[in-house]
Amino acid sequence: MQGERNEKPRALSRLEMMRWAAVVAVVLAALVAAAWQFVEPAPPRTVVIATGSASGAYHAVARHYAEHFEEAGLELIVRETAGSIENYTLLGTPGSGVDVAIVQGGTAPADKDRRKELVALASLYLEPVWVFYRGEAQLDRLGQFVGRRIAVGAEGSGVRALSLELLAAGGVVGGQAGTTLVDLGGDKAVAALREGSVDAALFVMGPSAPLISELMHMPGVRLMSFEQAHAYARRFRYLSPVTLHRGSLDLVRDLPEREVQLVAPAAVLVARKDVHPAVVALLTEAAVRTHRSGDLLSEPGKFPNDTLTELPVNEQARYYLTHGPDFLRRMLPFWLAALIHRFVVLIIPLFVVLVPLLRLTPPVYRWSIRSRIYRWYARLRVIDERLRGALDVEQVRKDLLLLEQLEQEIGGLKVPLSYMDEFYDLRLHVGYIRNRLEERLTVPGAPRTEAALKHG
């Protein structure tokens, strides 16, 4: 019996600890559930990038990006398209499957509603506007091509959109004085220029493109120098004036034979506004790896950058271009860094709540201990008040039994050393009340209980 009575207070103490643990668990579960609503989903395993023709520079660049994605455990699907105009259309079409695209500067849609759903990730490199023409005369202005047949790029391409804009600014309009604008681009435009079915052709591509080398070596074909390059760049802010130095394309054949002034938009990496942050980081990382070494028109480290874009730049991409990869990406594999980034939203609120919760634990614990002591004192006070009244032998016996139970509860309580003074004061006061109760039973004719005899 005595062993069972001593076990009861300990069981109550463990039960109370379990209750506190349950409260904390419920609070944490509620916080996790609330924060989980803001945790971004895992990055997609497959990303689709729209480029241009399979023989074009954008397609080749995207292939390099795909290798970087493969190293990170993701798949980048490279989709062949007609060019920048189609790429923008695909990005703005729900269900097209296209997440990101490489586009030519100056081809962003005019519709503000379409533009606000897109972001730029980086300007990748400069790709000049090349104007090749047949003839011996040295031409240096677009207005000199009035009355000729001009290949302006394929329908749906960024080349065509830019060519029409530049020719119109230079005073060249289709149908004007016999001027014919032909929708040909790439290999077909090169073939038409070789055959003489067109007198001139406009191309937008990097200086290392095979087509440029072919055209530079083509008999009877010359490259026009934009003597008004700075004026065009002032009028069209997405253009930059660049200089192609003598012999830079072919030192042996000294091509070009003189310095050539060109205007150049930038190739830009654009994406849907809702593209996953991990995908943004991986694309930006791939762009830096691919383009940071520079080319004939730019110094190493100049590209990629966050300028020369018509769209707002994604802030995460801007940070990467300015500061490089964050600590997690430098130290951990892509999948692990992405996982930790996902849970940052979850971890921070938990720490914000747990820190003050831990700081509240000591006072709450003190309150728990003292509140129990105070409850026992409240019970003692009730007995003490009854002692001041008329003698009721039966009530005195009940109070003695109550004190016995109270002493057993107190004896089974584990109290920290810092509270031992209050604990021993309580035990002394219990003993004091018990003595007073026993004294009341010593009055003549008052039989003593078994508990009183035991303590007396």
Side-chain angles (χ1 to χ4, degrees):
M1 287 293 293
Q2 185 69 26
E4 292 178 359
R5 289 181 179 179
N6 288 337
E7 285 297 320
K8 186 176 181 182
R10 292 183 176 85
L12 288 173
S13 179
R14 287 195 295 270
L15 180 60
E16 184 173 345
M17 292 175 61
M18 291 176 62
R19 286 174 178 169
W20 274 105
V23 170
V24 173
V26 169
V27 171
L28 290 179
L31 288 171
V32 169
W36 188 259
Q37 305 301 317
F38 301 96
V39 174
E40 63 193 23
R45 305 298 300 175
T46 302
V47 180
V48 179
I49 182 170
T51 58
S53 66
S55 61
Y58 294 174
H59 206 79
V61 166
R63 289 294 181 192
H64 286 294
Y65 294 178
E67 294 174 3
H68 188 69
F69 268 65
E70 186 176 359
E71 292 175 8
L74 274 65
E75 181 183 12
L76 182 66
I77 299 174
V78 182
R79 181 179 295 186
E80 181 181 356
T81 67
S84 298
I85 303 301
E86 183 181 353
N87 292 353
Y88 273 119
T89 301
L90 291 171
L91 284 173
T93 303
S96 69
V98 173
D99 307 292
V100 63
I102 303 176
V103 298
Q104 176 190 298
T107 59
D111 187 348
K112 292 183 179 179
D113 290 335
R114 290 179 61 192
R115 291 168 70 111
K116 70 181 182 181
E117 297 302 322
L118 304 173
V119 290
L121 303 186
S123 297
L124 305 177
Y125 55 89
L126 292 175
E127 41 182 7
V129 179
W130 308 81
V131 182
F132 287 95
Y133 61 95
R134 299 185 65 84
E136 296 300 324
Q138 185 171 302
L139 306 179
D140 56 19
R141 290 185 297 111
L142 290 177
Q144 295 171 318
F145 290 96
V146 172
R148 304 197 184 195
R149 294 164 298 173
I150 308 169
V152 294
E155 184 70 35
S157 68
V159 177
R160 184 176 185 278
L162 180 57
S163 297
L164 294 179
E165 191 166 37
L166 296 182
L167 287 170
V172 182
V173 180
Q176 174 190 12
T179 304
T180 303
L181 304 182
V182 183
D183 293 338
L184 289 176
D187 294 329
K188 293 181 179 179
V190 172
L193 197 59
R194 182 188 298 110
E195 296 165 1
S197 57
V198 297
D199 303 308
L202 280 76
F203 304 88
V204 180
M205 58 185 65
S208 60
L211 287 182
I212 298 301
S213 178
E214 182 180 351
L215 287 162
M216 290 297 297
H217 292 88
M218 187 178 292
V221 173
R222 300 171 67 91
L223 173 63
M224 188 193 92
S225 177
F226 276 83
E227 296 305 317
Q228 298 175 313
H230 287 275
Y232 276 96
R234 289 287 184 177
R235 177 169 293 194
F236 304 102
R237 291 295 180 175
Y238 56 84
L239 294 177
S240 299
V242 295
T243 300
L244 188 64
H245 296 287
R246 179 176 177 174
S248 57
L249 295 180
D250 191 330
L251 286 171
V252 176
R253 297 190 181 184
D254 194 27
L255 297 176
E257 298 174 349
R258 60 192 175 93
E259 283 195 352
V260 177
Q261 300 298 316
L262 302 173
V263 292
V268 182
L269 189 63
V270 300
R272 297 182 192 272
K273 198 172 185 179
D274 60 356
V275 68
H276 195 283
V279 173
V280 170
L282 197 57
L283 283 166
T284 313
E285 193 173 89
V288 170
R289 175 189 287 191
T290 304
H291 307 293
R292 64 186 169 189
S293 57
D295 56 26
L296 286 176
L297 302 176
S298 60
E299 297 294 329
K302 183 177 181 180
F303 286 94
N305 60 47
D306 58 358
T307 63
L308 301 177
T309 68
E310 302 165 89
L311 299 171
V313 179
N314 176 282
E315 287 303 320
Q316 184 178 2
R318 190 192 300 277
Y319 180 89
Y320 190 102
L321 293 172
T322 305
H323 303 286
D326 60 23
F327 174 78
L328 291 176
R329 188 65 185 99
R330 287 196 301 267
M331 304 299 296
L332 301 173
F334 170 79
W335 66 269
L336 184 55
L339 181 64
I340 294 176
H341 277 300
R342 288 182 64 206
F343 283 95
V344 165
V345 177
L346 183 62
I347 293 171
I348 291 179
L350 290 181
F351 271 106
V352 169
V353 174
L354 281 178
V355 169
L357 190 62
L358 291 175
R359 294 181 64 182
L360 283 173
T361 299
V364 170
Y365 181 71
R366 288 194 297 270
W367 172 83
S368 175
I369 296 295
R370 284 176 174 162
S371 64
R372 179 176 296 180
I373 292 174
Y374 296 157
R375 286 198 300 269
W376 283 325
Y377 268 115
R379 292 159 70 180
L380 284 179
R381 184 173 63 181
V382 172
I383 297 174
D384 185 41
E385 289 176 351
R386 283 200 290 263
L387 281 171
R388 298 174 189 173
L391 175 63
D392 184 342
V393 175
E394 188 62 30
Q395 183 61 51
V396 170
R397 292 172 180 169
K398 290 180 180 179
D399 287 342
L400 280 171
L401 290 174
L402 183 60
L403 282 182
E404 183 180 3
Q405 294 174 0
L406 189 60
E407 285 184 311
Q408 290 177 1
E409 290 181 18
I410 296 171
L413 179 66
K414 294 182 179 179
V415 179
L417 292 176
S418 57
Y419 298 97
M420 291 304 292
D421 55 346
E422 298 180 31
F423 177 68
Y424 281 120
D425 283 346
L426 174 64
R427 297 188 70 171
L428 287 172
H429 293 150
V430 170
Y432 168 72
I433 297 297
R434 186 186 65 244
N435 290 336
R436 289 186 61 193
L437 288 171
E438 291 173 349
E439 288 174 0
R440 295 298 298 270
L441 289 179
T442 59
V443 298
R448 304 183 69 183
T449 64
E450 180 181 350
L453 289 171
K454 181 176 65 176
H455 291 295

